[in-house]
Amino acid sequence: MQLETTDSTIKENDQVIIKKEEHLKVMQVRKNRPFWMEKIKFTLNGLIGQPYGTTFEVKNGQMVRLSRKSSEEEKDADGTSGIDNRNLNDCRSNQKLSREEIYKMKKEGVSGESIVETLVENSSTFRTKTEFAQEKYIKKKKKKHLNVFTVLKPTTRLLCEMHYNKGPSKICNLRVDSLSQMLVYGNVRAHSKLMVVETCGGLVLGAVMEKMGGYGTVVQLYTGTAPVRQTLEAYNFPQHFYDSLHAFPLNKVNCLEEGEIIRQHNKNISEVQVKTEPLLLGNYGGKTSEQNIEDISDVPKEGVSEFELKKEETEEDTVTENENGLSSDRDVSKESETQNEENQEGKGAISCQQIAKRKLEEERNAKRQLKQQHLEKSRQILLERNMDGLLVACKLNPTPIVMSLMEYVAPSRPIVVYCQYQEPLMECFVKLRQRGGVVHLTLTETWLREYQVLPGRTRPNINMSGTGGYLLTGTTVIV
Amino acid sequence: MSFAAYKEIIEEGDTVILHIGHENMYPLTVKKGETFQTKYGALKHEDLIGIKFGSKVHATKGYMHVLHPTPELWTVNLPHRTQILYSTDISMVLMQLDLVPGNVVVESGPFSLTLSGTGSGSLSHALIRAVAPTGHLYTYEFHKQRAEKAVEEFKDHGLSDLVTVNHRDVCMDGFGLDHIADAVFLDLPRPWEAVLSAKQALKLQGGRICSFSPCIEQVQRVCEVLSESNFTDVTTMECLVRKFEVKSINMPEPDLGDMKDPHELGQGEGEGHSSDVKREQVDDNGSPQVKYAKVEGSSGWQYKHKTRKNSEMFSFRTALPPHQMPGHTGYLTFATLYSE
């Protein structure tokens, strides 16, 4: 349990966040594996054994640890500066150093720091710039030429920031303040028993699991054939966190009580899907707007989902194997070992291929059965109808999801629905009012503004995010 | 006992939230023999014992719901003093401090801000929730009675094991903690005075800090001191919530008078056809009505005077923001201390 707090050194195979200025990137620490960031190629070998939060400079493709400078030292000692920009003209000849010369310096392995110094020396206008402009100039040049990175432990805060800055459409434009409110209004804490519906690549699920710290139960209700959870990897959750995670397909929700259909699940996925999907939609008349949204989003649906699914499948497999303490797999391998021996004694190497084939089939069967058991387990959890809350953040129309899944939430528990659009939540609000059984229904939006704080120059940032999405919250009651 | 974990059935001594109507809720500690007066009449505490959270209960003149307390319901229902931290700010604080179960967190502030005079602090409850069941909250209060009251309330709420209340002036005497905290929260009039002590409280491997201040001058100074003390990634933000009311609105269509109808006026159909502008309108039954907006004729525009029996309505559903809302709560400044 103390893992999060005591584990402060970087280990091989850890997922880490590499930060350069505002750029964040999740990477796995693998020996000798080169990676690219901001046009620089390097390996992460130097990270292993170092504490999180360390700052590195890339020199000759290797990471070299930097000592943290106090802000005092960073101030420029050279005092000459101008009063305003009346004599400054935007002109290329202001910088005497040519592009080729800079490139040559870089190739020779000159440090970023000294490149910036040389640039300042060779700037004919630097001394006439105002103090503020000088500072800005240095900052700009440093950003360009200094290959300094900070290595951070992935947290929900950083992962949300990273995704929001990189491609907010992939996380339904879920801004950090909205996500934080989902967790707070959902009363997410250790020992909760929650339902999560999300299409944010696992960010919301990961956030929920992080805040639960491995205690309690989460059931992820997913669309498609397997849950999408790629962001989960970045959290470095210990194995026991996954023991509390369950999954159940959304397209089986309407027939949750009929065990038969679940049993068919693996035999004929496609057939069941065809049967149940219209059932789910039929209740609320319209079609889901998934198609429309897919059209808008920049990623081609087919390619991505296929990729995700494949990835997911392998992931899930490793998870399930570990989940059962490898017991079933060991049995299988033992069995096949004895078989191997028998075969070697008796028939020799008649049919290695056959054995391999059989082994593969057995493994597949075992996996299928495991999946079946997990599905049944999730179903049983839901059927207790005492979930501690429902969190929804997805690109599907939330109303049918909320109306169906509300049945499984205990009384006096929170329901939190996030949507990047306001109208679906208005609809949900009205439907919940009509249905009853929910009090304290609240539709909100938050406004988030960051500030530049500098002596004598404090003001809001020039740009701010226009929307962080909308939130509908309420508390279930006995009707 | 009902704050620490969810429970199903209400027992004596539990804190419950009475939901009487929209935006009308009261916190209540259940005691046998007592009654609670509401606008729907008197409610006997005894009636609550043994029923489920979320149940409907009847008072003498109406019914209401009895809810399980959460830090958020608690925050909403505190009698609002001059300043308290709202759930929006609290959410941001919890997220930005990277709090997870098992963490040690330090909170300092005059409880008049983070803890209302009658109830426990909304932030304290949220912080405890975030670090429970294996973490701990150290909270500081320089007012003796308030500190004592806080101890009592955490006990009532079943949270004593997760929190230590210190009666101490943090700005004068510091936190007295040595490198045990993952995060520190400051809600002080002069937060910069507590920064060094906060640094001392944070673990050697580093941690996060937050300072909540209503005024920009405070932010300015605390940011300077944070940078001087080797805190990095200093960011200041403001977070406001807009609450919407979902409403169906009927907007009367304007009566611009009826246009001259060429058929009624007996004008030939072929006449002036080229310049006819058709406007389609959909009436309540969904059938389109075709109106002639402009007709080229000898007299140009003509008006027909006819009183409308049922004025047409443009109906829509909207989410109305409030006419007045909190425009400022405080600035949140966050920073990171990395291991040195």
Side-chain angles (χ1 to χ4, degrees), chain B residues 179 194-203 229-231 337 340:
Chain B
H179 307 303
V195 167
L196 278 179
S197 173
K199 193 180 172 186
Q200 181 73 20
L202 284 171
K203 285 180 178 166
S229 316
N230 282 348
F231 282 89
L337 183 71
E340 288 181 37

Side-chain angles (χ1 to χ4, degrees), chain A residues 5 152 157 180 184-185 187 189 211 412 414 426 440 443-447 449 451 454-455 458 478, chain B residues 3 6 25 54 68 72 87 91 96 98-99 101 103 129 205 220 236-238 240 242 244 317 319 338:
Chain A
T5 48
L152 304 171
R157 165 177 63 99
S180 73
V184 156
Y185 286 108
N187 205 13
R189 60 175 168 193
K211 302 301 170 198
S412 197
M426 281 160 55
H440 200 222
L443 178 59
T444 56
E445 178 193 17
T446 42
W447 179 89
R449 182 179 232 182
Y451 284 77
L454 289 169
T458 297
I478 300 170
Chain B
F3 262 93
Y6 278 124
M25 289 188 265
H68 199 288
E72 285 60 55
S87 290
S91 313
Q96 294 284 336
D98 293 340
L99 293 175
N103 279 171
R129 171 180 61 193
Q205 66 200 49
Q220 188 96 49
T236 299
M237 60 185 78
E238 200 182 3
L240 286 176
R242 257 198 336 167
F244 297 101
R317 187 175 290 152
Y338 292 121

Side-chain angles (χ1 to χ4, degrees), chain A residues 18-224:
Chain A
I18 311 279
K19 182 176 187 254
K20 189 194 180 197
E21 303 285 326
E22 292 85 42
H23 297 279
L24 300 169
K25 194 170 183 177
V26 176
M27 280 305 300
Q28 189 177 26
V29 181
R30 290 255 185 101
K31 267 191 184 152
N32 301 324
R33 180 191 269 191
F35 97 93
W36 289 85
M37 188 169 175
E38 301 280 292
K39 294 178 195 158
I40 310 149
K41 187 184 170 187
F42 57 103
T43 68
L44 299 174
N45 292 0
L47 289 182
I48 298 164
Q50 302 285 354
Y52 277 103
T54 326
T55 302
F56 294 86
E57 185 173 2
V58 178
K59 277 181 187 156
N60 304 320
Q62 293 295 318
M63 297 191 100
V64 184
R65 192 175 171 180
L66 285 185
S67 60
R68 201 163 287 283
K69 282 180 192 165
S70 73
S71 51
E72 296 293 310
E73 283 172 64
E74 274 182 25
K75 274 180 188 157
D76 203 2
D78 191 359
T80 29
S81 57
I83 300 155
D84 53 34
N85 61 2
R86 72 183 71 193
N87 298 318
L88 294 179
N89 296 313
D90 187 11
C91 179
R92 211 161 248 194
S93 60
N94 290 345
Q95 178 56 256
K96 286 174 209 126
L97 221 59
S98 74
R99 206 189 212 171
E100 289 71 33
E101 280 169 301
I102 298 169
Y103 187 70
K104 206 178 142 204
M105 281 169 84
K106 275 193 177 172
K107 242 189 164 177
E108 284 164 6
V110 178
S111 78
E113 199 85 34
S114 38
I115 291 179
V116 174
E117 267 169 43
T118 327
L119 279 169
V120 169
E121 276 164 31
N122 285 284
S123 163
S124 56
T125 50
F126 185 80
R127 269 149 214 281
T128 56
K129 283 178 194 276
T130 66
E131 216 177 292
F132 296 145
Q134 284 181 349
E135 205 179 285
K136 213 169 162 183
Y137 179 85
I138 290 174
K139 210 176 158 190
K140 214 166 118 189
K141 292 298 169 194
K142 272 190 177 172
K143 196 174 171 180
K144 197 167 175 191
H145 299 290
L146 238 63
N147 305 319
V148 174
F149 301 92
T150 305
V151 182
L152 304 171
K153 205 181 177 90
T155 62
T156 298
R157 165 177 63 99
L158 294 168
L159 290 171
C160 187
E161 188 187 322
M162 183 184 83
H163 286 295
Y164 193 79
N165 292 343
K166 253 193 211 162
S169 66
K170 284 180 189 157
I171 54 165
C172 302
N173 285 306
L174 181 66
R175 203 172 54 196
V176 67
D177 49 328
S178 299
L179 177 56
S180 73
Q181 287 178 67
M182 285 191 75
L183 301 169
V184 156
Y185 286 108
N187 205 13
V188 177
R189 60 175 168 193
H191 299 301
S192 286
K193 192 177 165 188
L194 298 167
M195 282 186 280
V196 176
V197 187
E198 64 130 289
T199 55
C200 302
L203 178 67
V204 177
L205 184 68
V208 167
M209 287 170 72
E210 186 195 46
K211 302 301 170 198
M212 285 172 59
Y215 303 94
T217 310
V218 188
V219 181
Q220 182 189 12
L221 292 114
Y222 60 90
T223 56

Side-chain angles (χ1 to χ4, degrees), chain A residues 240-259:
Chain A
H240 73 268
F241 275 52
Y242 288 96
D243 299 343
S244 62
L245 175 60
H246 303 269
F248 195 82
L250 266 179
N251 62 17
K252 301 279 177 299
V253 166
N254 277 351
C255 45
L256 231 162
E257 277 161 73
E258 303 148 47

Side-chain angles (χ1 to χ4, degrees), chain A residues 183-189 192 414 440, chain B residues 2-6 15 17 25 27 68-78 80 84-88 90-91 94 114 119-132 154 157 159:
Chain A
L183 301 169
V184 156
Y185 286 108
N187 205 13
V188 177
R189 60 175 168 193
S192 286
H440 200 222
Chain B
S2 34
F3 262 93
Y6 278 124
T15 303
I17 307 284
M25 289 188 265
H68 199 288
T70 67
E72 285 60 55
L73 287 176
W74 192 246
T75 305
V76 174
N77 294 297
L78 290 173
H80 285 207
I84 69 146
L85 270 162
Y86 291 91
S87 290
T88 319
I90 290 173
S91 313
L94 297 181
T114 52
S120 293
S122 43
L123 179 67
S124 313
H125 278 85
L127 290 171
I128 293 170
R129 171 180 61 193
V131 301
F154 288 131
H157 291 171
L159 302 170

